[in-house]
Short mmCIF file of all heavy atoms in Angstrom, two decimals:
data_model
loop_
_atom_site.label_atom_id
_atom_site.label_comp_id
_atom_site.label_asym_id
_atom_site.label_seq_id
_atom_site.Cartn_x
_atom_site.Cartn_y
_atom_site.Cartn_z
N SER A 171 113.20 192.68 66.92
CA SER A 171 114.53 192.24 67.48
C SER A 171 114.36 191.11 68.44
O SER A 171 115.31 190.57 68.98
CB SER A 171 115.22 193.42 68.17
OG SER A 171 114.47 193.87 69.27
N GLN A 172 113.10 190.76 68.71
CA GLN A 172 112.80 189.65 69.66
C GLN A 172 111.37 189.19 69.37
O GLN A 172 110.58 189.90 68.68
CB GLN A 172 112.92 190.16 71.10
CG GLN A 172 112.09 191.44 71.36
CD GLN A 172 112.30 192.01 72.78
OE1 GLN A 172 112.93 191.41 73.59
NE2 GLN A 172 111.70 193.16 73.02
N THR A 173 110.99 188.01 69.84
CA THR A 173 109.61 187.58 69.63
C THR A 173 108.71 188.08 70.75
O THR A 173 107.48 187.87 70.71
CB THR A 173 109.55 186.01 69.60
OG1 THR A 173 110.41 185.50 70.62
CG2 THR A 173 109.98 185.49 68.22
N SER A 174 109.27 188.85 71.71
CA SER A 174 108.43 189.31 72.84
C SER A 174 107.23 190.19 72.45
O SER A 174 106.28 190.20 73.19
CB SER A 174 109.35 190.05 73.83
OG SER A 174 110.36 189.13 74.27
N GLN A 177 104.02 188.69 73.02
CA GLN A 177 103.38 188.74 74.36
C GLN A 177 102.26 189.77 74.34
O GLN A 177 101.13 189.48 74.73
CB GLN A 177 104.37 189.15 75.40
CG GLN A 177 105.43 188.13 75.75
CD GLN A 177 106.36 188.62 76.87
OE1 GLN A 177 105.92 189.36 77.78
NE2 GLN A 177 107.60 188.29 76.79
N ARG A 198 118.85 191.45 64.41
CA ARG A 198 119.68 192.40 65.19
C ARG A 198 120.94 192.64 64.40
O ARG A 198 121.42 191.81 63.66
CB ARG A 198 120.06 191.84 66.55
CG ARG A 198 118.88 191.68 67.49
CD ARG A 198 119.26 191.10 68.81
NE ARG A 198 118.07 190.71 69.51
CZ ARG A 198 118.05 190.08 70.71
NH1 ARG A 198 119.16 189.81 71.32
NH2 ARG A 198 116.91 189.74 71.27
N GLN A 212 113.81 182.88 67.56
CA GLN A 212 113.49 182.71 68.99
C GLN A 212 112.16 181.99 69.11
O GLN A 212 111.35 181.97 68.18
CB GLN A 212 113.33 184.09 69.63
CG GLN A 212 114.65 184.82 69.94
CD GLN A 212 114.45 186.04 70.77
OE1 GLN A 212 113.36 186.61 70.79
NE2 GLN A 212 115.51 186.46 71.45
N GLU A 214 109.21 182.46 71.75
CA GLU A 214 108.69 183.14 72.94
C GLU A 214 107.66 182.24 73.61
O GLU A 214 106.93 181.53 72.93
CB GLU A 214 108.01 184.43 72.47
CG GLU A 214 107.71 185.45 73.57
CD GLU A 214 108.97 186.15 73.97
OE1 GLU A 214 110.00 186.02 73.27
OE2 GLU A 214 108.89 186.92 74.96
N GLY A 215 107.61 182.33 74.93
CA GLY A 215 106.58 181.59 75.64
C GLY A 215 105.96 182.48 76.70
O GLY A 215 106.63 183.37 77.23
N PHE A 252 115.49 192.19 82.34
CA PHE A 252 114.78 192.52 81.11
C PHE A 252 113.76 193.53 81.51
O PHE A 252 113.19 193.50 82.62
CB PHE A 252 114.03 191.29 80.54
CG PHE A 252 114.99 190.19 80.13
CD1 PHE A 252 115.10 189.01 80.93
CD2 PHE A 252 115.75 190.26 79.00
CE1 PHE A 252 115.94 188.00 80.52
CE2 PHE A 252 116.60 189.24 78.64
CZ PHE A 252 116.71 188.12 79.41
N PHE A 254 110.77 194.03 80.60
CA PHE A 254 109.35 193.57 80.62
C PHE A 254 109.07 192.47 81.63
O PHE A 254 107.96 192.02 81.75
CB PHE A 254 108.88 193.13 79.21
CG PHE A 254 109.90 192.38 78.48
CD1 PHE A 254 109.97 190.99 78.52
CD2 PHE A 254 110.87 193.05 77.69
CE1 PHE A 254 110.93 190.28 77.79
CE2 PHE A 254 111.80 192.35 76.95
CZ PHE A 254 111.88 190.97 77.02
N THR A 255 110.11 192.03 82.37
CA THR A 255 109.86 191.03 83.44
C THR A 255 110.50 191.52 84.70
O THR A 255 111.48 192.20 84.73
CB THR A 255 110.44 189.67 83.04
OG1 THR A 255 111.79 189.84 82.57
CG2 THR A 255 109.61 188.95 81.98
N GLY A 286 116.19 183.50 78.31
CA GLY A 286 115.87 184.56 79.24
C GLY A 286 114.43 184.39 79.68
O GLY A 286 113.59 183.92 78.90
N ALA A 287 114.12 184.77 80.90
CA ALA A 287 112.76 184.58 81.38
C ALA A 287 112.47 185.52 82.56
O ALA A 287 113.31 186.25 82.99
CB ALA A 287 112.54 183.12 81.81
N GLY A 288 111.25 185.42 83.05
CA GLY A 288 110.93 186.23 84.23
C GLY A 288 109.41 186.35 84.40
O GLY A 288 108.62 185.87 83.58
N ALA A 309 107.10 184.72 81.38
CA ALA A 309 107.44 184.63 79.96
C ALA A 309 108.91 184.18 79.83
O ALA A 309 109.65 184.29 80.77
CB ALA A 309 107.24 185.98 79.27
N PHE A 310 109.20 183.65 78.68
CA PHE A 310 110.60 183.25 78.39
C PHE A 310 110.86 183.45 76.92
O PHE A 310 109.91 183.51 76.13
CB PHE A 310 110.88 181.82 78.82
CG PHE A 310 110.17 180.78 77.99
CD1 PHE A 310 110.72 180.38 76.80
CD2 PHE A 310 108.93 180.33 78.33
CE1 PHE A 310 110.03 179.44 76.02
CE2 PHE A 310 108.22 179.39 77.55
CZ PHE A 310 108.79 178.98 76.37
N GLY A 311 112.12 183.50 76.56
CA GLY A 311 112.51 183.56 75.14
C GLY A 311 113.72 182.68 74.91
O GLY A 311 114.77 182.89 75.54
N1 LIG B 1 113.20 188.81 74.63
C1 LIG B 1 114.36 188.48 75.46
C2 LIG B 1 115.61 188.48 74.58
O1 LIG B 1 115.49 188.58 73.37
C3 LIG B 1 114.19 187.09 76.08
C4 LIG B 1 113.04 187.06 77.04
C5 LIG B 1 111.76 186.68 76.62
C6 LIG B 1 113.24 187.38 78.37
C7 LIG B 1 110.71 186.67 77.51
C8 LIG B 1 112.19 187.34 79.27
C9 LIG B 1 110.96 186.96 78.83
O2 LIG B 1 116.73 188.45 75.06
#
Side-chain angles (χ1 to χ4, degrees):
S171 63
Q172 50 185 354
T173 42
S174 303
Q177 290 181 35
R198 293 179 194 176
Q212 285 188 336
E214 193 78 7
F252 298 106
F254 40 92
T255 48
F310 68 86

